[in-house]
Amino acid sequence: MRTVIQRVRHASVTIDGLVKSEIGQGLLILVGIEDADGQDDIEWLAKKIVNLRIFDDGVGVMNLSVSDIGGEVLVVSQFTLHAMVKKGNRPSYIRASKPDIAIPLYESFCEEMSLQMGRRVQTGVFGADMKVELLNDGPVTIFIDTRNKE
């Protein structure tokens, strides 16, 4: 699994002109899934993200996690995180899982994030044409790939 985690002041997902989900201060997580991903990746990644100390403490040092600050989380599926651009100028998405594999893993990741957070996370809609709006705070943007756990 590949994720781009952005510390945000607020974020939202709009589909067909209607706001599907929105959050205040917290994390926007873009997640890409490949066939090799499994439940161990989901559990490791959710725990890692929930405990990332990327929010400022009282003296302006990044010492707090999204849980520590009572922040919110928005998870959006994004197959383009697996784009390969070695040949030519048109990205290949061959490594990205097809919906029959990716949807259950995406839903499981959202459930695990909710479990780790102790409350429901907000989501996009898998495969939909989503408009994602955010105000990146910092900016703080972190990339995590479960293939590089160690």
Side-chain angles (χ1 to χ4, degrees), residues 45-132:
L45 187 57
K47 184 176 180 181
K48 178 65 78 176
I49 292 170
V50 168
N51 292 297
L52 276 177
R53 297 183 331 174
I54 59 173
F55 291 89
D56 293 347
D57 62 15
V59 293
V61 177
M62 287 195 281
N63 271 328
L64 302 175
S65 70
V66 68
S67 294
D68 294 334
I69 66 155
E72 299 177 279
V73 173
L74 173 57
V75 180
V76 177
S77 62
Q78 189 166 4
F79 75 94
T80 60
L81 289 177
H82 285 289
M84 294 179 1
V85 293
K86 273 189 166 180
K87 294 182 181 178
N89 294 316
R90 184 178 185 166
S92 168
Y93 304 106
I94 194 110
R95 287 191 52 204
S97 290
K98 302 291 185 253
D100 59 323
I101 293 173
I103 291 172
L105 290 172
Y106 170 72
E107 291 172 349
S108 182
F109 177 71
C110 293
E111 289 171 18
E112 185 64 27
M113 283 297 301
S114 294
L115 181 68
Q116 293 284 333
M117 288 291 296
R119 59 190 153 103
R120 285 306 290 152
V121 298
Q122 298 296 309
T123 64
V125 174
F126 189 94
D129 180 15
M130 297 176 276
K131 306 304 179 215
V132 180

Side-chain angles (χ1 to χ4, degrees), residues 4-8 11 23 26-30 74 76 132 134:
V4 172
I5 300 130
Q6 297 182 78
R7 185 177 80 177
V8 298
I23 63 168
L27 300 175
L28 169 64
I29 303 168
L30 306 175
L74 173 57
V76 177
V132 180
L134 67 133

